[in-house]
Amino acid sequence: MDRLALHLRPAQLETYRFLNWALRWLRWITLAVLLLITLVRPAPNRGSLPNWSLILFFIAYNLLIGLLQHWSPNLRSFAWVALLDLLVASALYLLSTEPGGPIFVLFFLAVDSAAASLTLRDTLLYTAALATIAATIETMLPLWSSTSRDIRQLISRLVMLGLVGAGMAIVSRRLALEHAAAQRNQAEAGRMEELDRLRLEFISTVSHDLLTPLTASQAGLGMLEASIAERLQPAERDLLSNIRVNTEYLGVMIDDLLALNQIEAGMLRIEHTPIDLCVIARTAAATVHTLVTEKRQMVDLDLPDTLPCLGDARRLQQVLVNLLANAHRYAPEDARIMLHGAATGAEVHLSVHDTGPGIPAGEHEAIFQRFYRVASPMVSAVGGSGLGLAIARGIVELHDGRMWAESEAGQGATFHVVLPCPVRGEEA
Ligand code: ADP
């Protein structure tokens, strides 16, 4: 059965749906066709029952089945209906004097009904039993002549019976499996959504809870450094400064985690207040000052007097801090990091350039995916989460801006940020 649980292509599924619809209506379709044939080309009655009386009987019988199914929940199962069909067809067979003919129709309906609710194997067994009964009774009827015409007719009916049984069983099983798979997928999608919601909630709570003690520790460390730095040995001073640098990193990482969480949940609200990107760039450079001096690096600022814009000061500062922190981490000691800013028409262009190892060609876009890190011993040696650039681009895009990387082998890397700043001037 599992072999049938393959996923269907949309066109295939439509065909199966149509066949299933036809299967459900086959009883009525068959009767309509029979009625039409009897009316258009009345065949001479060969047996004791006139053809039209059989058709009327089938219609009455099917109406009765429909009513019974409507009233009795037990009869809703097609297997029950199939059994009734089988009993009625056998009785008709025994009462009639002529070979098969329209009574075979009831056998078809029986097979078709059974196929809708039985497994493929059971339907085949059911069909085989039906075919044996039909063949036995038909050859015992008085009008049966063992002429090749009667034999051919009997064989072709039996073959058709087998085909209808197998075909319908496959169609309905496949649809049932597809339906079950769709339901499973839906349940799984619901579960994943719930897990995702819990994950976002968890990260948000934990990050908030982490930020409070971290901010207190940073403030305490700052005060400690200011008051006792003079009295400390150089090694102790280094240790203290190391602790401060690491708590700053931790702060940036928690901030990133919170921002990513909000971006993913579509909850990051961007303020559009008048800002000066020059002030933001200088604040970002000051934020990473302790970090860069650790490696004897320098941040060169190449900025005009002012770069007015509308945006979210805190978030744009986070973008620049991320870029400067990356430049500091991936560039060697004593390197110069360049932060450049300029207004071009209705846009402001900011860029951060470093003289580090650069980014391999072909990975300039990939590095903006979350958790993506270039596979190199140097990058692995420098710790990182692979989230900074994804967050930075997320924030820039929420400002309707663009962000990309440029790098040539051995020439370092340059990260560009372009923000639309149509309102410039007195607002800032
Ligand atoms: P992280 O730096 O924490 O790994 P990011 O998202 O900030 O995460 O950066 C993704 C990857 O892009 C980094 O792992 C690194 O391989 C590469 N990268 C980012 N900035 C630079 C840079 N200035 N120089 C070289 N590679 C960089």
Side-chain angles (χ1 to χ4, degrees), residues 180-250:
Q183 271 184 333
R184 269 200 309 276
N185 285 349
Q186 213 172 347
E188 186 63 10
R191 213 174 61 86
M192 295 307 286
E193 225 167 78
E194 177 62 11
L195 273 178
D196 218 39
R197 196 187 58 73
L198 287 175
R199 179 180 63 88
L200 292 175
E201 224 173 78
F202 173 76
I203 294 178
S204 167
T205 315
V206 169
S207 315
H208 271 298
D209 287 354
L210 284 176
L211 268 184
T212 318
L214 187 74
T215 318
S217 317
Q218 276 173 338
L221 273 172
M223 279 156 58
L224 198 66
E225 229 178 354
S227 63
I228 61 163
E230 310 284 275
R231 284 174 275 148
L232 293 176
Q233 301 291 324
E236 291 169 333
R237 238 195 325 260
D238 282 354
L239 193 65
L240 197 60
S241 135
N242 207 327
I243 296 172
R244 211 153 86 86
V245 166
N246 280 300
T247 49
E248 263 162 35
Y249 259 142
L250 204 57

Side-chain angles (χ1 to χ4, degrees), residues 326 329-330 354 358 367 372-374 379 384-389 415:
N326 274 354
R329 279 189 299 158
Y330 298 111
D354 66 64
I367 53 170
Y372 189 93
R373 307 199 74 216
V374 171
V379 170
S385 59
L387 294 178
L389 289 178
F415 286 86

Side-chain angles (χ1 to χ4, degrees), residues 238-305:
D238 282 354
L239 193 65
L240 197 60
S241 135
N242 207 327
I243 296 172
R244 211 153 86 86
V245 166
N246 280 300
T247 49
E248 263 162 35
Y249 259 142
L250 204 57
V252 171
M253 272 154 70
I254 294 175
D255 234 20
D256 279 355
L257 210 57
L258 262 174
L260 183 78
N261 215 28
Q262 288 174 332
I263 290 172
E264 282 192 345
M267 305 268 286
L268 191 74
R269 298 275 166 267
I270 293 292
E271 286 178 16
H272 286 279
T273 47
I275 50 172
D276 183 351
L277 286 165
C278 280
V279 175
I280 289 171
R282 286 194 193 99
T283 318
T287 310
V288 295
H289 180 73
T290 329
L291 300 177
V292 292
T293 42
E294 269 286 289
K295 276 172 89 176
R296 295 185 305 279
Q297 296 164 327
M298 287 258 303
V299 178
D300 281 347
L301 296 176
D302 174 23
L303 299 164
D305 289 343

Side-chain angles (χ1 to χ4, degrees), residues 84-150:
L84 270 185
D85 284 345
L86 177 62
L87 290 176
V88 172
S90 304
L92 270 180
Y93 233 145
L94 290 173
L95 289 175
S96 123
T97 48
E98 66 161 330
I103 300 168
F104 243 96
V105 171
L106 267 188
F107 280 118
F108 281 122
L109 297 181
V111 163
D112 147 49
S113 301
S117 55
L118 297 182
T119 62
L120 178 63
R121 199 192 59 149
D122 290 351
T123 307
L124 291 179
L125 285 177
Y126 187 89
T127 312
L130 222 63
T132 315
I133 293 172
T136 317
I137 299 179
E138 187 143 346
T139 49
M140 282 162 50
L141 290 174
L143 268 181
W144 170 262
S145 60
S146 299
T147 56
S148 63
R149 182 178 164 275
D150 271 10

Side-chain angles (χ1 to χ4, degrees), residues 253 256 322-331 352-360 363 366-376 378-380 382-392 405 407 412-415:
M253 272 154 70
D256 279 355
N322 262 317
L323 293 183
L324 291 170
N326 274 354
H328 144 74
R329 279 189 299 158
Y330 298 111
V352 175
H353 173 76
D354 66 64
T355 50
I359 298 143
E363 288 181 71
I367 53 170
F368 288 96
Q369 290 165 16
R370 58 191 189 131
F371 301 120
Y372 189 93
R373 307 199 74 216
V374 171
S376 86
M378 187 262 159
V379 170
S380 310
V382 179
S385 59
L387 294 178
L389 289 178
I391 294 160
S407 176
T414 310
F415 286 86

